[in-house]
């Protein structure tokens, strides 16, 4: 049986998705995107929350690392 404990597929797909969204978001902000004129249209099309996207976008821009696109630990701290 395969050991899936070190499988990075979910992380890799999550990072690829956000890198794609960031690329399109920056095109919309520069008015270079062919489909979206406003950022609101971008959020509606991808069905994403503005606050959540901007949280990861700003974190990525400040650090410049792909790992910053992954969610941090959540839940109670005991």
């Amino acid at each position: 049986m395969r050991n899936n404990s070190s499988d990075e597929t979910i992380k890799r797909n999550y990072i690829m998705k956000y890198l794609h969204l960031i690329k399109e978001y920056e095109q919309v902000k520069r008015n270079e995107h062919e489909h979206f004129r406003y950022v609101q249209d971008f959020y509606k099309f991808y069905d994403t929350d503005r606050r959540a996207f901007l949280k990861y976008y700003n974190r990525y821009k400040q650090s410049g690392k792909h790992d910053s696109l992954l969610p941090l630990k959540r839940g109670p701290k005991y």
Side-chain angles (χ1 to χ4, degrees):
M1 196 159 139
R2 183 176 168 195
N3 183 5
N4 290 332
S5 63
S6 64
D7 190 16
E8 301 277 327
T9 305
I10 294 175
K11 289 181 182 180
R12 188 174 53 249
N13 289 343
Y14 198 81
I15 289 172
M16 286 175 44
K17 174 190 167 196
Y18 262 93
L19 288 175
H20 174 74
L21 290 177
I22 286 172
K23 186 180 86 172
E24 287 202 10
Y25 174 77
E26 290 177 344
Q27 286 179 347
V28 173
K29 294 297 280 185
R30 289 190 310 258
N31 293 326
E32 296 175 356
H33 201 279
E34 59 187 37
H35 297 294
F36 306 122
R37 183 170 179 190
Y38 301 110
V39 177
Q40 184 177 5
D41 299 335
F42 167 79
Y43 294 135
K44 192 180 291 186
F45 180 79
Y46 285 110
D47 193 32
T48 184
D49 183 42
R50 175 181 52 89
R51 294 171 294 177
F53 176 77
L54 289 176
K55 177 176 77 171
Y56 291 112
Y57 175 74
N58 290 327
R59 191 186 299 165
Y60 174 72
K61 283 299 178 183
Q62 286 179 357
S63 72
K65 299 179 182 177
H66 295 319
D67 292 341
S68 63
L69 294 173
L70 296 173
L72 301 176
K73 292 186 177 182
R74 297 177 294 227
K77 299 177 182 176
Y78 297 105

